[in-house]
Amino acid sequence: MAAISSSVGSGAAGAAIFADSDSRKYRYFDPKGQRATHYEDVTVDVQPDPERYLIQNWIISFANGKGAYVKENTAAQSSNWHAFRAPDQEWERTHYQRQSKIETMVQSVITNARRAGAPKAFDKVWIKILQAHLGAWKHAEFGLGTSLMQAQRYGYTQMINNATLTNSSYKLRLAQDITLYLAEIGMDIPGWDDELGKKHWLEDGIWQGTREAIETIMGTTDYLEQYFAINIIFEPMVGELFRSGFLMQAAAANHDFITPPVISAAEADYERNLANTIDLIYLLANDEKHGAANRKLFQGWVSKHAALADKAALGLQPIWSMPHSKPISFPDVRAQSEERVGQILGELGLKR
């Protein structure tokens, strides 16, 4: 293992041997592959760590003596927090580029559909569903995005923080997309009510289980539990259930060809976020020193959040009966959801 400045007691040039001490690359980490990727170059060790290079300890500390980042912000433990690399390798520039492309696509779909008069062809009952229930769902996405924004602050390494923050950004973008989408098609539909979604989110019994699940996640102080609960439990059990299992299935059958492409980007977002989360949790669950304790911790998180997600999913069931055209039943979608979460947990050696 290469020596680091803290182990030799000096930050002077040549005092320690690093990954690229004998080259002109000035890289202080071991890449995951044979060569460092651009993502690694701009992400790894950007966030300081006294155990690696800060021999003077934290430059800035809180009044209680704790440094800017501490491992105790999560109950999970790791032999090497710096080992994680996000599979999507997303960093600032690539994230902005992807978000920009998605926004361009969404706006083009909405603009072209409105120009063709598509919203006026929507089934009348489906219009009410969009106002009430897609309008409510944007609050769910906003809550998840806000939770992840809070979680991002406490991650111990830049790699973990990057993955959490891009996840938050995707959620907040979708909440914004839904808000703007409903506002724009509402201009073409007589009697449209922009406030109906908020009213259902706050008052409709259908949504109170979902609110409870999300507000529990938001109130959790362990940043890794928030990240785990959202991507490992809530998203496959509730998020995909509603987005893919209802909106994208029922929309076209009710003469709505706009909603599916607006929502579809969220499913691609989730696949990226899920891959990142699985890689991080797998590393911790199989840590040579802390793996057993971490698996026990994660199993407790599964029990806690799956119970809330179950309640949320079952609460949404009446929505499947509302449209005139019902191309898929709730039990069928629910069975797919159960299979999905089972596969995800199986990859991590956890049980439902």
Side-chain angles (χ1 to χ4, degrees), residues 26-175:
Y26 306 106
R27 186 179 63 225
Y28 302 99
F29 63 90
D30 294 315
K32 186 175 182 179
Q34 188 172 4
R35 296 182 179 180
T37 63
H38 198 166
Y39 155 77
E40 288 179 304
D41 282 336
V42 299
T43 307
V44 180
D45 286 324
V46 169
Q47 190 165 297
D49 182 352
E51 294 184 6
R52 290 165 77 87
Y53 313 119
L54 292 178
I55 62 172
Q56 76 276 44
N57 210 332
W58 290 104
I59 299 171
I60 298 175
S61 296
F62 291 102
N64 60 8
K66 289 187 176 182
Y69 296 90
V70 294
K71 296 176 181 178
E72 290 74 24
N73 284 327
T74 178
Q77 301 175 75
S78 175
S79 299
N80 179 13
W81 283 107
H82 298 267
F84 171 68
R85 304 287 190 272
D88 69 352
Q89 297 200 15
E90 191 150 296
W91 60 286
E92 186 176 355
R93 186 178 72 188
T94 57
H95 180 67
Y96 289 148
Q97 288 172 338
R98 185 166 185 271
Q99 290 281 58
S100 177
K101 290 177 182 177
I102 291 171
E103 285 302 288
T104 300
M105 178 275 291
V106 169
Q107 193 56 52
S108 293
V109 167
I110 297 171
T111 300
N112 291 331
R114 289 188 63 206
R115 186 180 296 121
K120 297 176 182 177
F122 288 1
D123 179 86
K124 301 305 180 187
V125 173
W126 183 251
I127 289 174
K128 294 179 181 178
I129 292 170
L130 290 180
Q131 291 178 89
H133 300 297
L134 179 54
W137 182 255
K138 72 180 180 184
H139 297 284
E141 296 288 351
F142 180 80
L144 296 175
T146 302
S147 180
L148 288 162
M149 186 183 296
Q150 172 193 353
Q152 177 272 335
R153 166 60 185 85
Y154 298 100
Y156 193 68
T157 74
Q158 186 73 6
M159 294 80 75
I160 295 172
N161 284 357
N162 259 27
T164 312
L165 187 57
T166 55
N167 196 159
S168 170
S169 177
Y170 287 135
K171 287 297 182 189
L172 296 177
R173 188 214 72 235
L174 179 59

Side-chain angles (χ1 to χ4, degrees), residues 214-249:
I214 292 175
E215 289 171 13
T216 299
I217 293 171
M218 294 178 72
T220 299
T221 57
D222 187 313
Y223 75 89
L224 200 60
E225 180 180 350
Q226 291 177 305
Y227 193 46
F228 180 100
I230 290 171
N231 290 317
I232 303 298
I233 302 298
F234 184 87
E235 278 285 80
M237 294 183 67
V238 185
E240 282 189 319
L241 181 85
F242 183 70
R243 291 190 307 262
S244 291
F246 179 70
L247 292 172
M248 295 182 67
Q249 296 278 354

